[in-house]
């Protein structure tokens, strides 16, 4: 299946199972296995390995729990049902109270259900998870085959995230 690299007009074939489409747990081994900072950009000792392996947040600005719970906030609640496939649910979570969708596999079940980046996870199978961090939410998700998930997202035209 074709996969377009950012900034590239050429498509390459990449099997979906080679893409990171887990359900959202972060990989703590990245931080402990990173080499020490070898200098600043432009120095002879500078390398890509010295840069952080953690992805940058997709949020436009930090969003607080109070903002999401404010009845006057420009927030839309949406229910999604996502069935795990042989690889997983196809999305990555980040953040803490609230956690949000950092990435969605475009070929995965989450994308098919309508999940998008910058959406906040409020409830999973009826249980409130908005006050949990992404690792705690990922542990809950890992035990499930079907997610009944309530997401919070900005209203069209409004910018809260």
């Amino acid at each position: 299946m074709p996969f377009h690299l950012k900034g590239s007009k050429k498509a390459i074939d990449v099997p979906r199972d080679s893409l990171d489409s887990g359900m959202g747990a972060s990989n703590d081994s990245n931080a402990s296995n990173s080499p020490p900072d070898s200098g600043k950009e432009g120095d002879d000792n500078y390398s890509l390995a010295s840069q952080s392996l953690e992805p940058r947040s997709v949020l436009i600005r930090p969003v607080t729990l109070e903002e999401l719970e404010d009845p006057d906030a420009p927030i839309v609640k949406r229910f999604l049902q996502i069935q795990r496939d042989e690889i997983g649910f196809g999305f990555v979570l980040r953040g803490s109270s609230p956690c949000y969708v950092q990435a969605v596999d475009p070929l995965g079940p989450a994308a098919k259900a309508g999940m998008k980046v910058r959406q906040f996870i409020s409830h999973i199978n009826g249980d409130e998870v908005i006050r949990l961090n992404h690792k705690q939410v990922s542990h809950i998700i890992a035990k499930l085959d079907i997610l009944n998930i309530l997401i919070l997202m900005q209203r069209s035209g409004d910018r809260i995230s």
Side-chain angles (χ1 to χ4, degrees):
M1 71 193 77
F3 181 79
H4 291 274
L5 296 175
K6 188 174 183 179
S8 171
K9 294 185 184 206
K10 285 180 124 180
I12 59 172
D13 286 333
V14 177
R16 181 168 169 257
D17 59 356
S18 69
L19 300 173
D20 180 294
S21 63
M23 84 240 111
S26 70
N27 185 352
D28 289 326
S29 64
N30 285 346
S32 61
N33 291 336
S34 296
D37 190 3
S38 59
K40 295 181 182 173
E41 191 168 358
D43 289 349
D44 290 337
N45 294 330
Y46 181 80
S47 71
L48 290 177
S50 68
Q51 297 179 18
S52 172
L53 297 176
E54 282 297 313
R56 293 170 79 187
S57 172
V58 294
L59 297 180
I60 295 167
R61 68 172 182 79
V63 176
T64 66
L65 189 56
E66 291 76 25
E67 286 177 275
L68 293 175
E69 292 178 330
D70 180 356
D72 296 326
I75 302 293
V76 175
K77 294 180 180 182
R78 187 164 169 214
F79 174 79
L80 301 176
Q81 186 172 57
I82 307 170
Q83 170 79 44
R84 176 193 299 270
D85 69 8
E86 63 279 354
I87 299 169
F89 290 101
F91 65 95
V92 177
L93 298 176
R94 289 290 182 264
S96 178
S97 188
C99 71
Y100 59 91
V101 179
Q102 172 77 15
V104 178
D105 178 348
L107 302 175
K112 290 176 185 154
M115 184 175 274
K116 309 258 190 245
V117 297
R118 297 188 190 107
Q119 293 177 333
F120 296 90
I121 308 300
S122 176
H123 289 74
I124 294 176
N125 292 358
D127 296 326
E128 183 179 273
V129 297
I130 199 163
R131 289 175 170 73
L132 303 178
N133 68 41
H134 70 276
K135 290 181 185 181
Q136 293 167 315
V137 175
S138 292
H139 286 296
I140 293 168
I141 292 171
K143 301 173 188 173
L144 303 171
D145 288 326
I146 297 177
L147 291 180
N148 294 301
I149 192 166
L150 180 65
I151 56 162
L152 306 177
M153 59 187 175
Q154 70 185 26
R155 256 189 306 216
S156 221
D158 294 323
R159 285 278 185 191
I160 65 142
S161 56

